[in-house]
């Protein structure tokens, strides 16, 4: 059924129906707030199914969108840290990180995509779930970066990045990463978390211990510290990583992902 420019009353009725059907637990004031906020997100002549979908997506994601947009929100920094990890995961899942090309680092690409995501949030209309929409924004942004970069150095007759079958994206069927890519991604995320904590020394120790698989004695000789001090710093690094909410959430979601520490 098509709605002719849904009125606040139409939206209020749909929100009330969804509230009852799905057990959202909204009181009358909250339901009215939903209907008022949703009015600007509904396309003219949207059918009832589309309106219900937008309402449902709004219910699940509007608090997160608010935290991302509002710099004064108490969770603003935390949610952006979480989304920086989501951006890195997305780049690996979409096959957009070339582990053999240090000139284009995964973290740089993730930051570029987050900048695009931040500027696009004001235009998010809840027609899909936030993470599905963000996945598409991140992939589109980084593919454009790669395309612009490659256009400067590749012969004109080579296939464009958009036509590369290895980068075909199906949002409804994202395949699991292979074990070695899980490991590479986890290492990248750990580096990211340690840098956000402002500890380049921990990054260095992590590289030696977990990436190069050196002993504490070997590391001690390289960094000119006593082995006991190296072990203490590595324990601090482990504790920091184990307490990091974003990293723990990622490992939990990945299930059988290899452990870096």
């Amino acid at each position: 059924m098509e709605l002719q420019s849904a009125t606040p009353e139409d939206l209020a009725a749909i929100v009330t129906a969804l509230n009852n059907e799905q057990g959202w637990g909204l009181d009358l004031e909250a339901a009215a707030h939903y209907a008022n906020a949703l009015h600007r997100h509904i396309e003219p002549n949207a059918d009832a199914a589309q309106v219900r979908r937008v309402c449902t997506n709004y219910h699940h994601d509007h608090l997160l969108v608010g935290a991302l947009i509002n710099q004064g929100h108490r969770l603003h920094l935390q949610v952006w840290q979480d989304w920086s990890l989501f951006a890195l995961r997305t780049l690996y899942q979409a096959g957009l990180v070339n582990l053999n090309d240090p000139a284009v680092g995964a973290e740089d690409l993730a930051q570029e995509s987050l900048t695009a995501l931040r500027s696009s949030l004001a235009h998010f209309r809840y027609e899909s779930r936030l993470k599905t929409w963000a996945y598409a924004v991140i992939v589109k942004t980084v593919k454009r970066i790669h395309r612009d970069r490659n256009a400067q150095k590749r012969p004109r007759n080579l296939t464009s990045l958009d036509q590369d079958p290895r980068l075909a994206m199906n949002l409804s069927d994202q395949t699991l990463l292979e074990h070695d890519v899980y490991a590479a991604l986890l290492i990248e995320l750990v580096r990211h978390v340690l840098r956000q904590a402002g500890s380049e020394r921990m990054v260095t120790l992590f590289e030696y211990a977990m990436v190069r698989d050196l002993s504490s004695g070997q590391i001690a000789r390289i960094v000119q510290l006593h082995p006991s001090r190296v072990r203490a710093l590595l324990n601090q690094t482990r504790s920091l990583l184990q307490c990091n909410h974003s990293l723990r959430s990622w490992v939990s979601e990945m299930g059988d992902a290899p452990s870096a520490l």
Side-chain angles (χ1 to χ4, degrees), residues 37-62 65 120-134 136-137 171:
L38 281 161
H39 193 263
R40 67 188 182 91
H41 298 298
I42 304 298
E43 293 286 355
N45 302 322
D47 62 32
Q50 291 172 322
V51 174
R52 285 174 63 92
R53 182 171 65 250
V54 170
C55 290
T56 301
N57 292 335
Y58 178 85
H59 171 73
H60 290 299
D61 290 331
H62 76 282
V65 172
S120 300
L121 268 172
H123 307 291
F124 178 57
R125 302 179 67 88
Y126 297 95
E127 293 173 347
S128 65
R129 290 299 303 273
L130 179 62
K131 281 196 172 181
T132 299
W133 173 83
V137 171
L171 294 180

Side-chain angles (χ1 to χ4, degrees), residues 10-160:
D10 294 328
L11 290 176
I14 291 175
V15 168
T16 299
L18 288 168
N19 186 37
N20 294 333
E21 293 168 14
Q22 301 185 23
W24 290 350
L26 302 178
D27 58 24
L28 291 176
E29 182 179 355
H33 175 76
Y34 268 37
N36 182 61
L38 281 161
H39 193 263
R40 67 188 182 91
H41 298 298
I42 304 298
E43 293 286 355
N45 302 322
D47 62 32
Q50 291 172 322
V51 174
R52 285 174 63 92
R53 182 171 65 250
V54 170
C55 290
T56 301
N57 292 335
Y58 178 85
H59 171 73
H60 290 299
D61 290 331
H62 76 282
L63 293 179
L64 179 55
V65 172
L68 289 166
I69 291 176
N70 181 7
Q71 295 184 13
H73 195 285
R74 64 185 181 85
L75 295 177
H76 181 74
L77 294 179
Q78 177 63 59
V79 293
W80 275 110
Q81 288 176 0
D82 292 346
W83 277 70
S84 66
L85 297 182
F86 173 77
L88 282 169
R89 282 177 53 193
T90 297
L91 297 182
Y92 279 90
Q93 287 177 317
L96 293 171
V97 175
N98 185 349
L99 299 177
N100 297 316
D101 184 5
V104 185
E107 284 204 42
D108 291 335
L109 292 174
Q111 288 306 310
E112 288 282 351
S113 66
L114 286 176
T115 297
L117 190 64
R118 190 186 297 268
S119 64
S120 300
L121 268 172
H123 307 291
F124 178 57
R125 302 179 67 88
Y126 297 95
E127 293 173 347
S128 65
R129 290 299 303 273
L130 179 62
K131 281 196 172 181
T132 299
W133 173 83
Y135 186 100
V137 171
I138 291 167
V139 169
K140 180 179 179 181
T141 299
V142 175
K143 286 175 73 173
R144 175 185 52 78
I145 291 171
H146 282 310
R147 183 168 55 242
D148 292 346
R149 173 179 168 79
N150 291 338
Q152 300 175 6
K153 61 182 182 180
R154 294 195 310 183
R156 294 181 182 178
N157 62 343
L158 288 185
T159 304
S160 72

